[in-house]
Amino acid sequence: MLNLRIMAPNRIVWNSDIQEIILSTNSGQIGILPNHASVLTALDIGIVKIRLNDQWSTMALMGGFAMIDNNNLTILVNDAEKASEIDYQEAQETFQKAKTNLEEAEGNKKKEIEALLVFKRAKARLEAINMASKL
Amino acid sequence: MASGSARRAGARLTNLLYGSINSSTPATAASWTQTGLAAGELAPFGARMASNQIVRNRMKSVKSIQKITKAMKMVAASKLRGIQGKTEDSRGLWQPFTALLGDAPGVDVKKKVILTLSSDKGLCGGINSTSVKFSKALMRLTAASGPDKEASYIVIGEKGKAQLQRDSRKNIKMFITETQKLPINFSLASTLTDEILRTVQFDAIHLVFNKFQTVVSYLPTVATILSPETMANGVETGKMSDLSNYEIEGSETQAEVLQNLSEFQFASVLYNAMLENACSEMGARMSAMDNSAKNASDMLDRLTLSYNRSRQAQITTELIEIISGAAALEAS
């Protein structure tokens, strides 16, 4: 059993024991089982899947770090949202808006970076809720 | 008789005027100075009537000061309640960093930056002076530790800037003011982090702030954050044994991960430090305003006493004059 703590700047998002977790890092997805080697990795804006009591649940994370050591997993993120808290309609709309914004922002470097960030976050939220409904 | 008592009253008056001004109670002494007289000038004869008026005006202003400081205390108390919860939640964010990377206030590097957190508004007790005192001490320590070690300041907050500018103006690399108008959240801390990293080069940065313990006590604290290069050095030389236990993944190079880590750590520690400093400021303001309100009510008591005394003395004088006048008429 892994002890998982997910912390955002303003609250503790998760604090309990879990069986397995799949993280999205900058270089792909990694799965963590008990007795994993000690790893420190940067997390991209994406989804994380957590298995607890043989049930998978999904969360959208907005970038951060994950540290695993001795079956203690600490994840520090800028922001996190549980898939169960995301409204499907709203996530769809936000995603579409972000997509059009990103396409419009082509050429303006600064706007492009900001639009890309918003787009990635909207995409992560949509992915999370899609994944949750499939499981 | 009437003239005799008047002469005696006049003698008392001139004693007060020509004698030491501070011999009588502070209230009457102040009222003499408030009549605009220099020491040695003779007041017009009806001065006692004027002093009553003056004492009454002073009582009114002290009462309004008492009300204002009480109101400021309530405002500070409610603001404190608001951010105390946020502060305690934010403490959990930097603790894993410290557990992983350690806190090395005595780290031996060439370029140090001292980031002093202070408030924009005053009337908050001694928190700003404490922060500035610690910052100056850190600066002296750095200067004393070696000839090639240099340190500079970054100041957040008007009060700290004012105090440090007085004698260390050339050492201040940048200052940031008017942050109190904005709500303190993580995006503010990240923006400030970006600004600072863009503007100043450093090997290690010391954050000086006041950690909030209770409403009446705060602890001056220094948090040290290393730049990514220093961290990488530490990993190689084996000083950071905990960090080197980890396999670092997630990006092309280890350096990139360490840089992201260092920036994230900076932003989290800065976020927590700003919240803690704000809490300490509210707590210190509460106790300062509380003391001030208490002093105001003490002063009001003293003023009331002296006002009543002089009012009764005035009435007695008038009665004596009337009675002696009546007695003189009867006798004739």
Side-chain angles (χ1 to χ4, degrees):
Chain A
M1 293 292 273
L2 296 167
N3 175 269
L4 171 70
R5 277 183 312 166
I6 303 185
M7 293 191 275
N10 52 355
R11 64 195 176 109
I12 299 180
V13 185
W14 192 291
N15 188 359
S16 79
D17 283 345
I18 57 162
Q19 295 167 300
E20 186 182 345
I21 184 168
I22 300 184
L23 306 162
S24 329
T25 71
N26 287 334
S27 48
Q29 291 199 329
I30 56 174
I32 312 246
L33 287 165
N35 293 328
H36 197 281
S38 302
V39 176
L40 164 67
T41 172
L43 295 177
D44 202 9
I45 301 177
I47 51 170
V48 62
K49 290 187 278 228
I50 303 171
R51 180 159 70 95
L52 177 62
N53 295 331
D54 290 326
Q55 285 263 33
W56 284 98
S57 54
T58 324
M59 251 204 280
L61 300 178
M62 311 301 177
F65 283 91
M67 293 175 272
I68 171 111
D69 183 36
N70 213 7
N71 284 337
N72 287 325
L73 179 56
T74 311
I75 301 184
L76 304 170
V77 287
N78 286 321
D79 199 6
E81 272 182 86
K82 288 208 183 100
S84 47
E85 294 168 355
I86 306 178
D87 177 41
Y88 184 69
Q89 253 327 80
E90 190 252 333
Q92 270 283 44
E93 286 169 9
T94 321
F95 178 67
Q96 292 297 359
K97 248 190 285 179
K99 194 155 172 215
T100 36
N101 265 344
L102 180 62
E103 282 157 17
E104 279 169 21
E106 295 281 331
N108 187 341
K109 195 76 201 300
K110 185 168 166 230
K111 279 222 173 92
E112 210 178 312
I113 298 177
E114 285 178 16
L116 183 62
L117 217 62
V118 176
F119 174 69
K120 273 172 136 181
R121 291 168 78 118
K123 181 156 171 258
R125 290 174 84 230
L126 194 61
E127 260 184 62
I129 196 152
N130 277 337
M131 192 93 24
S133 50
K134 260 187 251 163
L135 290 168
Chain B
M1 302 243 283
S3 53
S5 64
R7 234 183 300 120
R8 257 175 280 136
R12 250 179 283 140
L13 274 178
T14 46
N15 265 344
L16 281 174
L17 282 173
Y18 289 111
S20 56
I21 304 268
N22 53 10
S23 61
S24 51
T25 65
T28 45
S31 59
W32 286 126
T33 53
Q34 272 178 338
T35 53
L37 298 166
E41 269 185 280
L42 199 54
F45 191 80
R48 186 167 291 156
M49 200 93 85
S51 87
N52 254 1
Q53 180 78 6
I54 286 167
V55 174
R56 234 199 331 231
N57 283 341
R58 218 183 127 105
M59 277 169 60
K60 231 192 309 184
S61 73
V62 171
K63 212 180 278 185
S64 76
I65 288 178
Q66 189 186 19
K67 281 200 205 133
I68 290 172
T69 51
K70 219 187 264 184
M72 284 181 77
K73 175 184 165 202
M74 305 269 179
V75 166
S78 74
K79 283 198 184 153
L80 177 65
R81 265 198 303 271
I83 49 176
Q84 201 170 342
K86 270 169 95 174
T87 308
E88 279 161 21
D89 287 336
S90 77
R91 283 184 189 154
L93 194 67
W94 59 259
Q95 274 157 3
F97 283 112
T98 318
L100 175 67
L101 302 164
D103 185 45
V107 67
D108 192 22
V109 289
K110 289 238 172 52
K111 278 208 198 141
K112 283 194 192 182
V113 166
I114 302 171
L115 177 71
T116 312
L117 284 173
S118 60
S119 67
D120 279 333
K121 303 210 195 103
L123 296 178
C124 49
I127 56 167
N128 292 323
S129 330
T130 343
S131 292
V132 169
K133 205 167 45 170
F134 269 82
S135 312
K136 287 194 187 157
L138 271 175
M139 173 72 92
R140 273 200 297 270
L141 267 175
T142 320
S145 67
D148 58 344
K149 309 274 170 36
E150 54 165 288
S152 50
Y153 289 115
I154 298 179
V155 194
I156 298 184
E158 235 350 293
K159 294 287 157 190
K161 168 185 162 208
Q163 287 191 25
L164 280 173
Q165 255 186 346
R166 247 183 272 149
D167 47 0
S168 319
R169 187 187 290 251
K170 55 180 172 50
N171 278 339
I172 301 183
K173 279 280 167 63
M174 75 188 266
F175 51 78
I176 304 165
T177 54
E178 311 269 325
T179 53
Q180 268 187 324
K181 301 200 182 135
L182 309 160
I184 303 180
N185 50 29
F186 194 66
S187 16
L188 177 66
S190 320
T191 323
L192 285 176
T193 312
D194 278 337
E195 263 308 310
I196 294 175
L197 287 171
R198 228 162 19 110
T199 327
V200 190
Q201 290 284 4
F202 58 86
D203 291 328
I205 185 162
H206 296 289
L207 269 93
V208 180
F209 61 100
N210 292 297
K211 200 175 157 98
F212 179 75
Q213 287 182 313
T214 68
V215 174
V216 294
S217 83
Y218 54 85
L219 194 63
T221 320
V222 176
T224 312
I225 300 175
L226 308 168
S227 73
E229 296 87 21
T230 324
M231 243 191 257
N233 271 344
V235 171
E236 280 165 32
T237 57
K239 269 197 233 155
M240 292 217 196
S241 53
D242 287 331
L243 186 57
S244 51
N245 277 342
Y246 288 75
E247 253 187 65
I248 310 225
E249 290 182 27
S251 269
E252 311 293 314
T253 61
Q254 194 193 49
E256 213 182 304
V257 176
L258 282 183
Q259 179 160 18
N260 282 339
L261 190 66
S262 160
E263 283 176 23
F264 195 36
Q265 183 195 17
F266 191 177
S268 328
V269 176
L270 183 62
Y271 175 59
N272 174 255
M274 285 172 78
L275 280 174
E276 301 262 5
N277 209 42
C279 275
S280 314
E281 180 200 334
M282 294 301 153
R285 183 166 295 139
M286 265 179 73
S287 38
M289 291 297 107
D290 190 34
N291 282 340
S292 167
K294 247 185 267 174
N295 287 342
S297 78
D298 282 346
M299 194 179 276
L300 201 56
D301 287 340
R302 274 205 313 265
L303 281 174
T304 314
L305 276 175
S306 83
Y307 172 69
N308 283 335
R309 237 184 282 132
S310 81
R311 186 178 53 91
Q312 287 161 352
Q314 190 183 330
I315 293 173
T316 314
T317 325
E318 283 178 21
L319 276 175
I320 290 176
E321 284 167 12
I322 294 171
I323 292 174
S324 0
L329 278 174
E330 246 179 71
S332 64

